[in-house]
Amino acid sequence: MQTPWIRAPSAFSPALVFWSSGLAKLFDFNANVAIMEGFGLTPGWLFNSMTLILQIGASLLIILNRWVWLAAGALAVFTVLTIPIAHPFWLKEGEEAFRDMTVALEHVSVIGGLALVSIVSRRR
């Protein structure tokens, strides 16, 4: 894991979902403000701004191998918080509940990947 050709993709890959989401929030700001407000997060512009700064900033820290533990931890907490806000499968039924439960389980997998990135970054 110490060689750059292995370390770079292993750091880039867990961050991909976050930096791509952050860039989408930046480039389609107003649509994402509406999404935030649809989840009851007001003012939407503030929540969208904070989210994109966290997603892009923490992703860059992981990719650059700087304060990885802090960046991964912040993204993990953010990811956990999105489950009850955006994917409350326990409040839904049928296909919608299944879809949100699947997303929640994927979020748990991403959190595991962030933990591994943090552990591996300390072994240099």
Side-chain angles (χ1 to χ4, degrees):
M1 294 296 287
Q2 300 305 319
T3 59
W5 60 274
I6 292 177
R7 195 226 160 279
S10 64
F12 182 79
S13 147
L16 172 66
V17 68
F18 296 106
W19 64 258
S20 63
S21 176
L23 289 175
K25 286 172 179 56
L26 177 64
F27 292 127
D28 199 359
F29 192 84
N30 290 331
N32 283 282
V33 166
I35 290 170
M36 295 292 180
E37 290 175 351
F39 288 126
L41 302 172
T42 56
W45 66 267
L46 180 61
F47 280 95
N48 192 57
S49 298
M50 291 187 319
T51 300
L52 74 87
I53 290 168
L54 170 67
Q55 289 180 320
I56 295 170
S59 295
L60 282 173
L61 288 174
I62 290 171
I63 292 166
L64 297 173
N65 200 31
R66 302 286 182 249
W67 295 322
V68 175
W69 64 272
L70 180 62
L75 289 172
V77 169
F78 167 80
T79 303
V80 166
L81 293 175
T82 65
I83 295 171
I85 294 170
H87 310 290
F89 60 89
W90 55 91
L91 299 176
K92 299 176 181 175
E93 293 182 12
E95 183 68 28
E96 191 177 15
F98 180 76
R99 190 172 39 251
D100 275 0
M101 184 181 69
T102 301
V103 172
L105 292 172
E106 289 171 353
H107 281 30
V108 172
S109 297
V110 169
I111 292 166
L114 290 167
L116 285 174
V117 165
S118 184
I119 290 166
V120 169
S121 77
R122 305 278 296 166
R123 292 182 164 192
R124 51 184 175 106

